[in-house]
Amino acid sequence: MRPYILAETNWKNIQKTTFDLAILPWGATEAHNYHLPYGTDVIEADRIAAAAAEIAWNKGAKIIVLPTIPFGVNTGQADIKLDVNIYPSTQMAILSDIIEMLNRQNIKKLLILNSHGGNDFKTLIRELGLKYPQMFLSTCNWYQALDKKDFFDEMGDHADEMETSLLLYLAPELVLPMAEAGIGKEKKHKIKEFNEGWAWSERKWSQITADTGVGNPKLASAEKGEKYFIAVTEKVARLFVEIAGCDINDLYA
Ligand SMILES: [Zn+2]
Protein backbone atom coordinates (compact mmCIF):
# COMPACT_ATOMS: atom_id res chain seq x y z
CA MET A 1 0.00 0.00 0.00
CA ARG A 2 1.58 3.25 -1.14
CA PRO A 3 0.46 6.15 1.11
CA TYR A 4 0.69 8.68 -1.76
CA ILE A 5 -1.68 6.73 -4.09
CA LEU A 6 -5.27 7.56 -3.14
CA ALA A 7 -6.74 4.40 -4.70
CA GLU A 8 -4.47 2.23 -2.52
CA THR A 9 -4.49 4.03 0.79
CA ASN A 10 -7.30 4.24 3.33
CA TRP A 11 -9.25 6.48 5.69
CA LYS A 12 -7.06 5.41 8.64
CA ASN A 13 -4.04 6.98 6.91
CA ILE A 14 -5.79 9.75 5.03
CA GLN A 15 -7.53 11.29 8.03
CA LYS A 16 -4.25 11.87 9.90
CA THR A 17 -2.15 13.06 6.93
CA THR A 18 -1.91 16.64 5.72
CA PHE A 19 -1.53 16.86 1.94
CA ASP A 20 -0.10 19.94 0.23
CA LEU A 21 -0.51 18.88 -3.39
CA ALA A 22 -2.96 16.70 -5.30
CA ILE A 23 -1.76 15.17 -8.58
CA LEU A 24 -4.40 14.37 -11.21
CA PRO A 25 -3.02 12.16 -14.00
CA TRP A 26 -5.10 12.48 -17.19
CA GLY A 27 -4.89 10.07 -20.11
CA ALA A 28 -6.95 9.02 -23.11
CA THR A 29 -8.29 5.77 -24.56
CA GLU A 30 -7.41 5.52 -28.22
CA ALA A 31 -5.75 3.47 -30.96
CA HIS A 32 -1.93 3.57 -30.88
CA ASN A 33 -0.75 2.25 -34.26
CA TYR A 34 -1.48 -1.49 -34.63
CA HIS A 35 0.82 -2.69 -31.89
CA LEU A 36 0.21 -0.68 -28.69
CA PRO A 37 -2.81 -0.97 -26.35
CA TYR A 38 -5.67 1.53 -26.32
CA GLY A 39 -4.74 2.26 -22.71
CA THR A 40 -1.20 3.40 -23.58
CA ASP A 41 -1.67 6.98 -22.35
CA VAL A 42 -3.34 5.73 -19.15
CA ILE A 43 -0.56 3.23 -18.45
CA GLU A 44 2.04 5.96 -18.98
CA ALA A 45 0.16 8.40 -16.74
CA ASP A 46 -0.32 5.80 -13.98
CA ARG A 47 3.26 4.63 -13.96
CA ILE A 48 4.97 8.02 -14.33
CA ALA A 49 2.74 9.57 -11.64
CA ALA A 50 3.39 6.70 -9.21
CA ALA A 51 7.14 6.53 -9.77
CA ALA A 52 7.58 10.30 -9.56
CA ALA A 53 5.37 10.43 -6.46
CA GLU A 54 7.49 7.77 -4.76
CA ILE A 55 10.63 9.87 -5.30
CA ALA A 56 8.88 13.04 -4.13
CA TRP A 57 7.27 11.36 -1.09
CA ASN A 58 10.65 10.02 0.00
CA LYS A 59 11.93 13.60 -0.13
CA GLY A 60 9.17 14.62 2.28
CA ALA A 61 6.67 16.07 -0.21
CA LYS A 62 3.09 15.70 1.07
CA ILE A 63 1.39 14.67 -2.14
CA ILE A 64 -1.53 12.49 -3.09
CA VAL A 65 -2.02 10.98 -6.55
CA LEU A 66 -5.69 10.81 -7.58
CA PRO A 67 -6.91 8.05 -9.91
CA THR A 68 -6.05 8.63 -13.57
CA ILE A 69 -8.90 9.96 -15.71
CA PRO A 70 -8.96 7.43 -18.56
CA PHE A 71 -10.75 9.48 -21.25
CA GLY A 72 -9.40 12.50 -23.12
CA VAL A 73 -10.29 14.87 -25.93
CA ASN A 74 -10.33 12.79 -29.13
CA THR A 75 -12.49 15.01 -31.34
CA GLY A 76 -10.14 14.45 -34.29
CA GLN A 77 -10.50 10.66 -34.10
CA ALA A 78 -14.29 10.33 -34.16
CA ASP A 79 -14.13 7.81 -37.04
CA ILE A 80 -11.55 5.55 -35.37
CA LYS A 81 -13.39 2.68 -33.72
CA LEU A 82 -13.66 2.92 -29.92
CA ASP A 83 -11.46 5.98 -29.56
CA VAL A 84 -13.42 7.42 -26.64
CA ASN A 85 -13.89 11.19 -26.84
CA ILE A 86 -14.89 13.43 -23.98
CA TYR A 87 -15.36 17.12 -24.77
CA PRO A 88 -13.33 19.94 -23.23
CA SER A 89 -16.59 21.06 -21.58
CA THR A 90 -16.83 17.62 -19.92
CA GLN A 91 -13.25 17.99 -18.71
CA MET A 92 -14.24 21.39 -17.34
CA ALA A 93 -17.09 19.79 -15.36
CA ILE A 94 -14.84 17.04 -13.96
CA LEU A 95 -12.07 19.47 -13.03
CA SER A 96 -14.50 21.91 -11.49
CA ASP A 97 -15.94 19.22 -9.18
CA ILE A 98 -12.49 17.98 -8.12
CA ILE A 99 -11.20 21.51 -7.48
CA GLU A 100 -14.31 22.38 -5.46
CA MET A 101 -13.61 19.38 -3.21
CA LEU A 102 -9.90 20.19 -2.83
CA ASN A 103 -10.64 23.83 -2.07
CA ARG A 104 -13.26 22.91 0.56
CA GLN A 105 -10.83 20.49 2.21
CA ASN A 106 -7.91 22.91 2.23
CA ILE A 107 -5.67 21.04 -0.22
CA LYS A 108 -4.75 24.18 -2.07
CA LYS A 109 -2.46 22.92 -4.81
CA LEU A 110 -3.32 20.84 -7.88
CA LEU A 111 -1.10 19.61 -10.69
CA ILE A 112 -2.65 17.88 -13.71
CA LEU A 113 -0.15 15.38 -15.11
CA ASN A 114 -1.24 15.24 -18.73
CA SER A 115 -0.47 12.21 -20.88
CA HIS A 116 -2.36 13.01 -24.12
CA GLY A 117 -1.73 15.63 -26.80
CA GLY A 118 -5.43 16.32 -27.43
CA ASN A 119 -5.94 17.44 -23.82
CA ASP A 120 -5.38 21.14 -23.23
CA PHE A 121 -5.94 22.28 -19.67
CA LYS A 122 -4.58 25.81 -19.84
CA THR A 123 -7.80 27.58 -20.71
CA LEU A 124 -9.74 25.50 -18.16
CA ILE A 125 -7.23 26.40 -15.45
CA ARG A 126 -7.49 30.10 -16.33
CA GLU A 127 -11.25 29.99 -15.87
CA LEU A 128 -11.26 27.88 -12.69
CA GLY A 129 -8.37 29.88 -11.24
CA LEU A 130 -10.50 32.98 -11.25
CA LYS A 131 -13.31 31.12 -9.49
CA TYR A 132 -11.01 29.57 -6.86
CA PRO A 133 -8.47 32.33 -6.10
CA GLN A 134 -7.01 30.49 -3.10
CA MET A 135 -6.09 27.46 -5.21
CA PHE A 136 -2.80 27.01 -7.05
CA LEU A 137 -3.77 25.24 -10.29
CA SER A 138 -1.15 23.90 -12.69
CA THR A 139 -0.62 21.44 -15.50
CA CYS A 140 2.34 19.72 -17.16
CA ASN A 141 2.85 17.48 -20.18
CA TRP A 142 5.37 14.84 -19.13
CA TYR A 143 6.14 14.00 -22.77
CA GLN A 144 7.55 17.50 -23.25
CA ALA A 145 9.71 17.47 -20.11
CA LEU A 146 12.82 16.19 -21.88
CA ASP A 147 14.38 16.50 -25.32
CA LYS A 148 13.39 13.22 -26.98
CA LYS A 149 16.40 13.51 -29.31
CA ASP A 150 18.62 12.64 -26.33
CA PHE A 151 16.91 9.25 -26.02
CA PHE A 152 15.47 8.21 -29.38
CA ASP A 153 16.45 7.99 -33.05
CA GLU A 154 13.09 8.60 -34.77
CA MET A 155 10.84 11.45 -33.67
CA GLY A 156 7.04 11.33 -33.64
CA ASP A 157 4.14 12.22 -31.42
CA HIS A 158 1.82 9.23 -31.26
CA ALA A 159 2.67 5.54 -30.78
CA ASP A 160 6.15 6.53 -31.88
CA GLU A 161 9.55 5.16 -30.84
CA MET A 162 9.26 6.91 -27.47
CA GLU A 163 5.81 5.54 -26.56
CA THR A 164 6.65 2.10 -27.92
CA SER A 165 9.89 1.99 -25.92
CA LEU A 166 8.04 3.05 -22.77
CA LEU A 167 5.43 0.32 -23.21
CA LEU A 168 8.10 -2.28 -24.01
CA TYR A 169 9.59 -1.38 -20.64
CA LEU A 170 6.40 -0.90 -18.61
CA ALA A 171 4.00 -3.48 -20.08
CA PRO A 172 5.76 -5.68 -22.67
CA GLU A 173 3.00 -8.28 -22.43
CA LEU A 174 0.62 -5.76 -24.07
CA VAL A 175 2.83 -4.90 -27.07
CA LEU A 176 2.49 -6.83 -30.33
CA PRO A 177 5.69 -7.90 -32.13
CA MET A 178 7.25 -5.03 -34.05
CA ALA A 179 6.54 -6.85 -37.34
CA GLU A 180 2.83 -6.10 -36.69
CA ALA A 181 3.38 -2.33 -36.31
CA GLY A 182 2.86 0.20 -39.09
CA ILE A 183 5.56 2.76 -39.80
CA GLY A 184 3.54 5.68 -38.42
CA LYS A 185 3.94 7.83 -41.52
CA GLU A 186 2.24 11.22 -41.13
CA LYS A 187 0.85 13.25 -44.03
CA LYS A 188 1.64 16.94 -43.55
CA HIS A 189 -0.78 19.79 -44.17
CA LYS A 190 -0.82 21.20 -47.73
CA ILE A 191 -1.01 24.72 -46.26
CA LYS A 192 2.55 24.96 -45.03
CA GLU A 193 1.83 27.51 -42.31
CA PHE A 194 0.01 24.77 -40.40
CA ASN A 195 3.26 22.78 -40.30
CA GLU A 196 5.26 25.68 -38.85
CA GLY A 197 3.82 25.54 -35.35
CA TRP A 198 2.24 29.02 -35.25
CA ALA A 199 -0.98 28.32 -37.16
CA TRP A 200 -3.15 25.48 -35.92
CA SER A 201 -6.03 23.38 -37.16
CA GLU A 202 -7.08 20.04 -35.72
CA ARG A 203 -5.57 17.11 -37.58
CA LYS A 204 -8.16 14.69 -39.00
CA TRP A 205 -6.40 11.63 -37.70
CA SER A 206 -7.65 9.00 -40.15
CA GLN A 207 -6.57 11.26 -43.05
CA ILE A 208 -3.03 11.96 -41.83
CA THR A 209 -2.04 8.39 -40.90
CA ALA A 210 -3.09 4.95 -42.13
CA ASP A 211 -2.11 2.97 -39.04
CA THR A 212 -3.13 5.66 -36.46
CA GLY A 213 0.53 6.15 -35.50
CA VAL A 214 2.60 9.29 -36.02
CA GLY A 215 6.29 8.42 -35.81
CA ASN A 216 8.13 5.23 -36.76
CA PRO A 217 8.28 2.83 -33.79
CA LYS A 218 10.61 0.27 -35.38
CA LEU A 219 13.76 1.23 -33.45
CA ALA A 220 12.01 1.09 -30.07
CA SER A 221 13.46 -1.01 -27.25
CA ALA A 222 12.79 -1.70 -23.58
CA GLU A 223 16.29 -0.40 -22.78
CA LYS A 224 15.52 2.99 -24.36
CA GLY A 225 12.20 3.00 -22.54
CA GLU A 226 13.80 2.33 -19.16
CA LYS A 227 16.38 5.08 -19.59
CA TYR A 228 13.72 7.60 -20.63
CA PHE A 229 11.29 6.51 -17.89
CA ILE A 230 13.89 7.01 -15.17
CA ALA A 231 14.86 10.44 -16.52
CA VAL A 232 11.32 11.66 -17.02
CA THR A 233 10.11 10.48 -13.60
CA GLU A 234 13.04 12.21 -11.92
CA LYS A 235 12.19 15.45 -13.68
CA VAL A 236 8.47 15.16 -12.91
CA ALA A 237 9.33 14.31 -9.28
CA ARG A 238 11.31 17.54 -8.97
CA LEU A 239 8.23 19.46 -10.10
CA PHE A 240 6.09 17.62 -7.49
CA VAL A 241 8.59 18.53 -4.74
CA GLU A 242 8.85 22.16 -5.85
CA ILE A 243 5.09 22.72 -6.01
CA ALA A 244 4.41 20.87 -2.74
CA GLY A 245 6.96 23.03 -0.95
CA CYS A 246 6.26 26.41 -2.50
CA ASP A 247 4.53 29.39 -0.88
CA ILE A 248 1.70 30.14 -3.29
CA ASN A 249 1.65 33.75 -2.11
CA ASP A 250 5.33 34.24 -2.91
CA LEU A 251 5.98 32.60 -6.27
CA TYR A 252 8.04 35.14 -8.18
CA ALA A 253 11.58 36.40 -7.83
ZN1 LIG B 1 -0.18 8.08 -26.53
Short mmCIF file of all heavy atoms in Angstrom, two decimals, residues 30 32 40-41 44 115-117 142 157-159 163, ligand 1:
data_model
loop_
_atom_site.label_atom_id
_atom_site.label_comp_id
_atom_site.label_asym_id
_atom_site.label_seq_id
_atom_site.Cartn_x
_atom_site.Cartn_y
_atom_site.Cartn_z
N GLU A 30 -7.42 5.33 -26.77
CA GLU A 30 -7.41 5.52 -28.22
C GLU A 30 -6.42 4.55 -28.87
O GLU A 30 -5.50 4.06 -28.24
CB GLU A 30 -6.98 6.96 -28.56
CG GLU A 30 -5.63 7.30 -27.97
CD GLU A 30 -5.11 8.68 -28.35
OE1 GLU A 30 -5.70 9.31 -29.24
OE2 GLU A 30 -4.11 9.10 -27.77
N HIS A 32 -3.35 3.18 -30.84
CA HIS A 32 -1.93 3.57 -30.88
C HIS A 32 -1.22 2.68 -31.89
O HIS A 32 -0.63 1.66 -31.51
CB HIS A 32 -1.30 3.41 -29.49
CG HIS A 32 -1.44 4.59 -28.59
ND1 HIS A 32 -2.61 4.91 -27.98
CD2 HIS A 32 -0.55 5.55 -28.20
CE1 HIS A 32 -2.45 6.00 -27.23
NE2 HIS A 32 -1.21 6.42 -27.36
N THR A 40 -2.60 2.95 -23.66
CA THR A 40 -1.20 3.40 -23.58
C THR A 40 -1.04 4.68 -22.76
O THR A 40 -0.21 4.75 -21.85
CB THR A 40 -0.63 3.60 -25.01
OG1 THR A 40 -0.50 2.32 -25.63
CG2 THR A 40 0.74 4.27 -24.99
N ASP A 41 -1.84 5.71 -23.06
CA ASP A 41 -1.67 6.98 -22.35
C ASP A 41 -2.01 6.85 -20.86
O ASP A 41 -1.43 7.54 -20.02
CB ASP A 41 -2.56 8.07 -22.97
CG ASP A 41 -2.10 8.46 -24.37
OD1 ASP A 41 -1.13 7.86 -24.88
OD2 ASP A 41 -2.72 9.36 -24.96
N GLU A 44 0.94 5.00 -19.17
CA GLU A 44 2.04 5.96 -18.98
C GLU A 44 1.75 6.91 -17.83
O GLU A 44 2.61 7.17 -16.98
CB GLU A 44 2.26 6.75 -20.28
CG GLU A 44 2.79 5.91 -21.43
CD GLU A 44 2.60 6.55 -22.80
OE1 GLU A 44 1.83 7.54 -22.91
OE2 GLU A 44 3.20 6.08 -23.77
N SER A 115 -1.12 13.29 -20.14
CA SER A 115 -0.47 12.21 -20.88
C SER A 115 -0.93 12.15 -22.34
O SER A 115 -0.56 11.23 -23.05
CB SER A 115 -0.81 10.89 -20.16
OG SER A 115 0.02 9.84 -20.55
N HIS A 116 -1.73 13.12 -22.79
CA HIS A 116 -2.36 13.01 -24.12
C HIS A 116 -2.37 14.37 -24.82
O HIS A 116 -2.85 15.36 -24.26
CB HIS A 116 -3.79 12.49 -23.93
CG HIS A 116 -4.65 12.56 -25.15
ND1 HIS A 116 -4.36 11.84 -26.29
CD2 HIS A 116 -5.79 13.25 -25.41
CE1 HIS A 116 -5.30 12.09 -27.21
NE2 HIS A 116 -6.17 12.94 -26.70
N GLY A 117 -1.87 14.38 -26.05
CA GLY A 117 -1.73 15.63 -26.80
C GLY A 117 -3.02 16.37 -27.09
O GLY A 117 -3.01 17.58 -27.25
N TRP A 142 4.10 15.54 -19.42
CA TRP A 142 5.37 14.84 -19.13
C TRP A 142 6.16 14.56 -20.41
O TRP A 142 7.39 14.54 -20.39
CB TRP A 142 5.12 13.54 -18.34
CG TRP A 142 4.29 12.52 -19.05
CD1 TRP A 142 2.97 12.27 -18.85
CD2 TRP A 142 4.70 11.61 -20.10
NE1 TRP A 142 2.53 11.29 -19.70
CE2 TRP A 142 3.57 10.86 -20.47
CE3 TRP A 142 5.91 11.37 -20.74
CZ2 TRP A 142 3.63 9.89 -21.48
CZ3 TRP A 142 5.97 10.41 -21.75
CH2 TRP A 142 4.85 9.68 -22.10
N ASP A 157 4.91 11.76 -32.58
CA ASP A 157 4.14 12.22 -31.42
C ASP A 157 2.98 11.30 -31.05
O ASP A 157 2.18 11.64 -30.18
CB ASP A 157 3.69 13.67 -31.57
CG ASP A 157 2.74 13.89 -32.73
OD1 ASP A 157 1.95 12.98 -33.06
OD2 ASP A 157 2.78 14.99 -33.30
N HIS A 158 2.91 10.13 -31.66
CA HIS A 158 1.82 9.23 -31.26
C HIS A 158 2.18 7.79 -31.61
O HIS A 158 2.35 7.48 -32.79
CB HIS A 158 0.51 9.63 -31.95
CG HIS A 158 -0.67 8.85 -31.47
ND1 HIS A 158 -1.18 8.98 -30.21
CD2 HIS A 158 -1.39 7.88 -32.07
CE1 HIS A 158 -2.19 8.14 -30.06
NE2 HIS A 158 -2.34 7.46 -31.17
N ALA A 159 2.27 6.94 -30.59
CA ALA A 159 2.67 5.54 -30.78
C ALA A 159 4.01 5.46 -31.49
O ALA A 159 4.27 4.54 -32.27
CB ALA A 159 1.59 4.76 -31.55
N GLU A 163 6.92 6.23 -27.25
CA GLU A 163 5.81 5.54 -26.56
C GLU A 163 5.98 4.02 -26.64
O GLU A 163 5.67 3.31 -25.68
CB GLU A 163 4.46 5.94 -27.17
CG GLU A 163 3.99 7.30 -26.70
CD GLU A 163 2.49 7.46 -26.86
OE1 GLU A 163 2.01 7.50 -28.01
OE2 GLU A 163 1.80 7.56 -25.83
ZN ZN B 1 -0.18 8.08 -26.53
#
